[in-house]
């Protein structure tokens, strides 16, 4: 079995993709959801939902529409996880949506010192929570949380709560660390409170 991908390595993969496209003179100034799927999706569902959730949770998610796009993408990808599809897929219309590449790279580089610290805290433990039927339950939770991001976008910063919950669960799947899945229950509860407040 190969080495588990790290959060820092995933962020750097998208940076490397941008640099390689620039060298071939085929890059534009935007990072598309399709590029995220192409670069990260082949590594599995955990890394993909993790990166999509971080794009929505961090300052990159301040762009109007990004939390909703990421939330819908996460819900579609997680549905495929529930049904055991081998490789994640997204419709062409979603893959075309994008954010400014320089905004992503600025955030990514500011985060690197922090992600390296987080990487040291991720290790295989409580693995019963990140394998077998548990992965389908995580997928179900990510579907619900991803869909919550759509209505919560109208409340400033509220969509960050379900996004961080998904990011923690994605980190747990990526590193086979059930602790991070449990940690995701805290922002998930906050997201539930925001949704209740919105509809009541």
């Amino acid at each position: 079995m190969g080495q588990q991908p790290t959060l820092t390595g995933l962020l750097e993969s998208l940076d490397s993709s941008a640099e390689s496209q620039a060298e071939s003179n085929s890059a534009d100034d935007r990072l598309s959801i399709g590029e995220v799927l192409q670069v990260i999706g082949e590594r599995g569902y955990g890394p993909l939902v993790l990166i999509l959730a971080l794009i929505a949770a961090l300052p990159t998610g301040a762009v109007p529409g990004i939390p909703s796009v990421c939330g819908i993408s996460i819900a579609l990808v997680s549905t495929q996880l529930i049904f055991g599809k081998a490789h994640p897929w997204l419709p062409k219309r979603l893959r075309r949506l994008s954010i400014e590449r320089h905004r992503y790279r600025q955030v990514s580089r500011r985060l690197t010192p922090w992600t390296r610290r987080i990487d040291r805290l991720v290790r295989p433990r409580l693995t019963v929570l990140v394998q077998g039927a548990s992965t389908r339950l995580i997928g179900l939770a990510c579907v619900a949380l991803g869909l919550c991001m759509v209505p919560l976008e109208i409340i400033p910063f509220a969509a960050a709560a379900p996004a961080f919950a998904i990011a923690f669960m994605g980190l747990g799947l990526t590193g086979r660390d059930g602790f991070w899945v449990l940690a995701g229950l805290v922002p998930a509860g906050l997201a539930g409170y925001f949704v209740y407040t919105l509809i009541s």
Side-chain angles (χ1 to χ4, degrees):
M1 181 179 295
Q3 186 178 7
Q4 296 289 345
T6 64
L7 176 53
T8 303
L10 294 171
L11 292 173
E12 289 177 345
S13 294
L14 290 175
D15 280 343
S16 298
S17 171
E19 291 172 2
S20 64
Q21 287 191 27
E23 289 172 359
S24 65
N25 297 318
S26 62
D28 58 19
D29 61 350
R30 303 189 69 82
L31 172 68
S32 69
I33 297 297
E35 185 177 341
V36 175
L37 180 64
Q38 180 180 3
V39 175
I40 305 297
E42 63 185 16
R43 305 181 190 209
Y45 286 94
L48 181 57
V49 298
L50 169 59
I51 290 296
L52 289 171
L54 284 177
I55 289 173
L58 296 172
T60 46
V63 178
I66 289 299
S68 293
V69 169
C70 289
I72 293 170
S73 299
I74 288 166
L76 287 174
V77 165
S78 299
T79 299
Q80 295 165 55
L81 172 62
I82 294 170
F83 290 101
K85 194 173 184 296
H87 301 289
W89 170 88
L90 286 173
K92 185 178 294 185
R93 186 171 182 178
L94 276 179
R95 294 201 306 268
R96 288 175 177 165
L97 297 173
S98 61
I99 59 173
E100 293 176 336
R101 192 180 298 277
H102 75 87
R103 183 189 293 267
Y104 166 80
R105 298 184 74 175
Q106 287 173 351
V107 172
S108 173
R109 288 170 182 176
R110 286 196 207 117
L111 281 177
T112 297
W114 298 96
T115 59
R116 286 176 178 156
R117 293 185 179 96
I118 292 172
D119 288 336
R120 290 196 289 268
L121 300 176
V122 179
R123 61 182 183 273
R125 55 187 162 177
L126 301 175
T127 54
V128 68
L129 298 177
V130 289
Q131 61 187 12
S134 296
T135 62
R136 287 174 167 78
L137 292 176
I138 293 171
L140 187 61
C142 288
V143 170
L145 290 164
L147 293 177
C148 281
M149 290 166 62
V150 179
L152 288 181
E153 187 176 351
I154 66 174
I155 305 174
F157 309 111
F164 273 119
I166 294 166
F168 287 165
M169 292 179 186
L171 187 60
L173 284 174
T174 300
R176 295 180 53 77
D177 191 341
F179 168 81
W180 288 98
V181 174
L182 294 177
L185 297 178
V186 177
L190 184 61
Y193 170 76
F194 283 146
V195 171
Y196 173 79
T197 302
L198 189 63
I199 65 177
S200 63

